[in-house]
Amino acid sequence: MTHRAYDVPMAGGPLKLGRTPLVMGILNVTPDSFSDGGDFSALDAALAHAEDLAAEGADIIDIGGESTRPGSDEVSVQDELDRVMPVLDALAERGFEAPISIDTYKALVADQAVQAGAKIINDVQGLQRDPEIADVAAHHSTPIIAMHWDTERDTARDLIDEMKRWLSRSVDIALKAGIARDAIILDPGFGFAKSFAENYELLNRLDELHALGFPLLVGTSRKRMIGNLLDVPPKERVSGTIATSVLGYLKGGHIFRVHDVRANRDALRVAAATLYGPPQLEG
């Protein structure tokens, strides 16, 4: 399919989404994330990993201070700030160039992070847990990613129809708060309140979500939908993740949130060259 083009307004210049897939590198500064919990919770390790992700070609770095793995405990606003703010401040001091998104559903964390230099807010609760986060995004003219996570969905109804209905509420919250329509990105929320089979149905029908009229972020990296299928632990799910990223791109996805940047970036470049032709190379 042909990718829809979007110019998402962002501090420092618009985020151009379309035929060229963008890769968002994951930086979890948490002790308990499902794949890399504790690996980058120390400041030096977090900073080094941010630099590694950028060197591998990440277009965006997504920093999160609270795990959303099944069974994880919620953390307080202060604990989340204590985890993410030193990293944001240190990256700003270094003149880190890749745009940073803050992975949070808490309005206060989002506000502090944007003031410290984050350029995108990534809310896994789709603005429906703490609606004031939409006010923060509107106040700072910050693009927002609204993810689908509907724990009360009627599973007897069509999956995509229910997702469209829930995500439309997220869009309404954003627009009523004053967020520009072109500053909204949607994430279908692979792995969140969806069964094993539903995740693969979603991947197969991802293109149906374009009817909502917003760019799509695909986040399947190392998730249980891959691990259960292949019977491998999180850090051995790279190949499976690449397959889902490429399939998501072929269904019109724009941004791919991954742990393994270089591998996914390379695969997506091949997929883009196949769909639209390779770039002209010198020599």
Side-chain angles (χ1 to χ4, degrees):
M1 68 175 295
T2 301
H3 284 75
R4 298 185 186 184
Y6 299 90
D7 281 354
V8 179
M10 184 179 69
L15 196 64
K16 292 188 173 294
L17 304 178
R19 293 182 172 188
T20 302
L22 299 189
V23 175
M24 173 186 279
I26 298 170
L27 177 53
N28 290 318
V29 289
T30 58
D32 57 347
S33 290
F34 79 96
S35 175
D36 53 6
D39 288 358
F40 311 113
S41 53
L43 180 59
D44 288 347
L47 297 176
H49 193 55
E51 297 287 358
D52 288 344
L53 292 170
E56 288 186 9
D59 300 288
I60 305 164
I61 307 296
D62 191 49
I63 299 178
E66 178 175 340
S67 173
T68 53
R69 67 174 176 79
S72 61
D73 295 326
E74 292 187 7
V75 301
S76 69
V77 168
Q78 189 58 56
D79 284 345
E80 192 171 341
L81 287 170
D82 288 345
R83 292 174 181 179
V84 301
M85 292 306 295
V87 180
L88 288 165
D89 290 339
L91 289 174
E93 289 177 5
R94 292 184 175 196
F96 192 73
E97 294 185 356
I100 293 169
S101 67
I102 180 66
D103 182 354
T104 187
Y105 58 84
K106 301 182 180 78
L108 182 56
V109 175
D111 182 63
Q112 294 295 308
V114 171
Q115 291 189 57
K119 295 182 178 180
I120 302 169
I121 297 170
N122 181 13
D123 181 1
V124 297
Q125 299 279 359
L127 318 183
Q128 297 189 39
R129 173 73 178 271
D130 183 358
E132 289 185 6
I133 199 169
D135 298 323
V136 171
H139 176 73
H140 293 292
S141 298
T142 304
I144 192 146
I145 300 166
M147 193 190 82
H148 178 269
W149 190 357
D150 181 8
T151 58
E152 300 178 355
R153 174 172 57 88
D154 184 350
T155 56
R157 295 179 178 269
D158 181 76
L159 171 65
I160 302 300
D161 287 347
E162 288 299 291
M163 289 183 65
K164 288 179 180 177
R165 188 175 295 112
W166 195 92
L167 286 168
S168 292
R169 290 203 298 270
S170 295
V171 170
D172 287 344
I173 293 168
L175 296 177
K176 287 177 182 177
I179 298 173
R181 186 176 183 85
D182 58 0
I184 301 170
I185 299 167
L186 300 181
D187 176 349
F190 284 95
F192 289 84
K194 299 171 185 70
S195 70
F196 177 67
E198 285 174 336
N199 282 300
Y200 284 98
E201 179 185 356
L202 170 57
L203 185 58
N204 188 41
R205 299 176 62 192
L206 184 68
D207 54 324
E208 295 180 38
L209 293 177
H210 292 300
L212 294 169
F214 297 93
L216 296 178
L217 181 149
V218 176
T220 55
S221 186
R222 300 185 183 178
K223 287 191 173 176
R224 194 181 305 183
M225 61 180 285
I226 297 167
N228 286 354
L229 182 68
L230 303 180
D231 192 25
V232 291
K235 292 184 179 180
E236 295 179 21
R237 299 173 187 172
V238 181
S239 298
T241 298
I242 290 170
T244 58
S245 292
V246 169
L247 288 166
Y249 175 73
L250 295 176
K251 293 288 185 176
H254 296 89
I255 304 173
F256 299 84
R257 183 179 181 274
V258 300
H259 298 84
D260 306 284
V261 168
R262 180 172 288 116
N264 282 274
R265 182 205 62 182
D266 289 352
L268 287 163
R269 287 180 66 186
V270 172
T274 303
L275 278 188
Y276 301 112
Q280 295 298 316
L281 301 178
E282 295 181 0

